[in-house]
Structures are given as C-alpha cells and as structure tokens.
Amino acid sequence: GENVEQHPSTLSVQEGDSAVIKCTYSDSASNYFPWYKQELGKGPQLIIDIRSNVGEKKDQRIAVTLNKTAKHFSLHITETQPEDSAVYFCAGTSGSRLTFGEGTQLTVNP
Amino acid sequence: GAVVSQHPSRVICKSGTSVKIECRSLDFQATTMFWYRQFPKQSLMLMATSNEGSKATYEQGVEKDKFLINHASLTLSTLTVTSAHPEDSSFYICSGLGQSYEQYFGPGTRLTVT
C-alpha cells in the first residue's frame, strides 16, 4: 500500500515569513495529493489539492508543487499569519483511500 | 467545499455500553464514506470504508464486530462502538467522498469511555 512521509514534524516561523512542508510517497500509481489543515479539536479541512497531470497549483497564499518522478510534493504558504497556526497533513491515494502523513505542527509567531 | 456533519460532537459513556455516531453529508451525496480514528498528537488512521447499500470494508486490525458501520442512504453513515472500553476513547472522524475523489471531513466526535 501507499506510504507517506512528511517533514518537518514541527515548524515555527515569524509572521510574514514563508513556510514549506514536504511529503514523499511510495505508490507510483497515486494521482491525487490533497493537503489538509486541522485546528485543535476539529476535523481536517481540505485547503488545496493537486492531481498528477499538473506540476503546480496556487490558491492565493497557498501553493502545492508535485514532482512525480521523485515522488514528492510540497505545500508552500507565503505571508504567514497567526491564524495559519495549525497541524497540516498531506495525503497520498490508493484508489479512493487516503494515506496520511504524520502531520506538521505549524506555529506562526506574531 | 462540501459539508459533512457529525453527531454527537462529544460523548461520554460507561465501559461496556455502546455508542452510535452519525455522519451526514449535507449538500452532496456520498456513495462512499470513510471512518477514521485519531489519537492525541497522531495522524488519522483509516478504520473502514463504507459504501451505501453494502457491507463496510475494514482495515487490518479493526474489529468489525466491535465497530459496526451502517451506510443505509447516500447521506448517512453510522458507526456504533459496541461494548466500549477505555482504550476506545479517541477522536472519531468521518469523511464523504466527492465526485472527483476528494474527501470532505466532518468535525469529529470525541469519545470518552469511563
């Protein structure tokens, strides 16, 4: 099955700086890569996703890049704000099933 | 994005009793729903895949007789934790599968077994 590794496990940045979280996956058949933001005590919220037919996708301050050859994808958050503080999860797919990374606790310091 | 609700948001039950958690897709039809469990400071672990009108598919190590799943309609799936024990205390989260294979998650249910 799919194996997803996520780094770093914790990330602390100053407000206004950029944050980058990276994930690698094992299943070359994976073709859908979502990123979720989870605030304490809440369910994960889909913030951006990318499919294997594109290399980059951007939505305002958030972007995701995908390198299928190297089997890794990354989340980029620019101009970070305190409200971006949360746990972020990447996921790989096997059919319709998601395999999540271990999560990254992002802290944005004002 | 699509909206998924869960009820209750938190529940406390005594050891040995059963508790039912409901998951509803509010503005889309979810032929497939998923149930996850999340322990503190850990990632989400898939427990089972629920397809409307058919039996759920359980992940390895998840007891199907303990975690009963019913997906009777395109908008409702239920998870019943039977004979609950303190080690079943966790955050249970469901998701509905969208048309383009994206998953939309509910807000989660905090189960505490005393």
Side-chain angles (χ1 to χ4, degrees):
Chain A
E2 176 73 285
N3 182 47
V4 177
E5 294 189 359
Q6 183 173 343
H7 300 279
S9 57
T10 61
L11 179 59
S12 182
V13 300
Q14 288 299 123
E15 182 176 359
D17 288 350
S18 295
V20 180
I21 304 170
K22 298 180 180 180
C23 288
T24 60
Y25 63 97
S26 62
D27 188 352
S28 56
S30 287
N31 58 6
Y32 174 64
F33 306 93
W35 284 91
Y36 288 88
K37 175 184 181 182
Q38 187 178 29
E39 297 177 341
L40 192 62
K42 298 183 179 180
Q45 176 190 5
L46 179 65
I47 56 172
I48 196 167
D49 55 16
I50 192 167
R51 299 183 191 271
S52 59
N53 56 343
V54 297
E56 183 175 358
K57 183 176 178 181
K58 190 173 182 180
D59 182 3
Q60 298 182 357
R61 296 186 297 110
I62 296 173
V64 56
T65 58
L66 171 64
N67 183 327
K68 283 219 74 179
T69 303
K71 293 187 201 169
H72 65 70
F73 56 111
S74 300
L75 176 71
H76 304 252
I77 306 175
T78 59
E79 300 173 32
T80 53
Q81 301 167 4
E83 50 265 38
D84 293 330
S85 296
V87 179
Y88 290 81
F89 291 98
C90 64
T93 52
S94 179
S96 61
R97 296 168 68 250
L98 292 177
T99 300
F100 284 87
E102 290 302 307
T104 297
Q105 173 68 63
L106 173 65
T107 303
V108 180
N109 302 300
Chain B
V3 180
V4 174
S5 70
Q6 278 184 245
H7 178 80
S9 58
R10 55 178 61 234
V11 58
I12 301 172
C13 70
K14 292 189 176 181
S15 187
T17 62
S18 296
V19 61
K20 180 186 285 188
I21 302 169
E22 292 186 349
C23 176
R24 293 181 186 274
S25 55
L26 298 184
D27 54 0
F28 70 107
Q29 293 184 330
T31 306
T32 301
M33 288 183 169
F34 302 88
W35 287 95
Y36 295 82
R37 181 166 50 183
Q38 185 178 35
F39 292 106
K41 297 189 182 300
Q42 293 188 21
S43 188
L44 286 80
M45 296 301 297
L46 179 64
M47 299 175 66
T49 301
S50 167
N51 291 297
E52 186 265 337
S54 63
K55 290 183 178 180
T57 303
Y58 291 81
E59 295 298 303
Q60 191 172 7
V62 178
E63 300 175 57
K64 62 180 172 61
D65 294 330
K66 180 172 181 61
F67 298 99
L68 301 179
I69 292 172
N70 184 276
H71 193 161
S73 78
L74 288 172
T75 59
L76 174 64
S77 177
T78 60
L79 168 68
T80 301
V81 183
T82 63
S83 186
H85 291 285
E87 56 265 32
D88 298 324
S89 298
S90 189
F91 194 49
Y92 291 86
I93 315 171
C94 69
S95 70
L97 187 65
Q99 288 188 340
S100 300
Y101 288 95
E102 65 277 22
Q103 287 189 30
Y104 298 102
F105 285 82
T109 296
R110 173 74 58 194
L111 170 63
T112 303
V113 184
T114 61

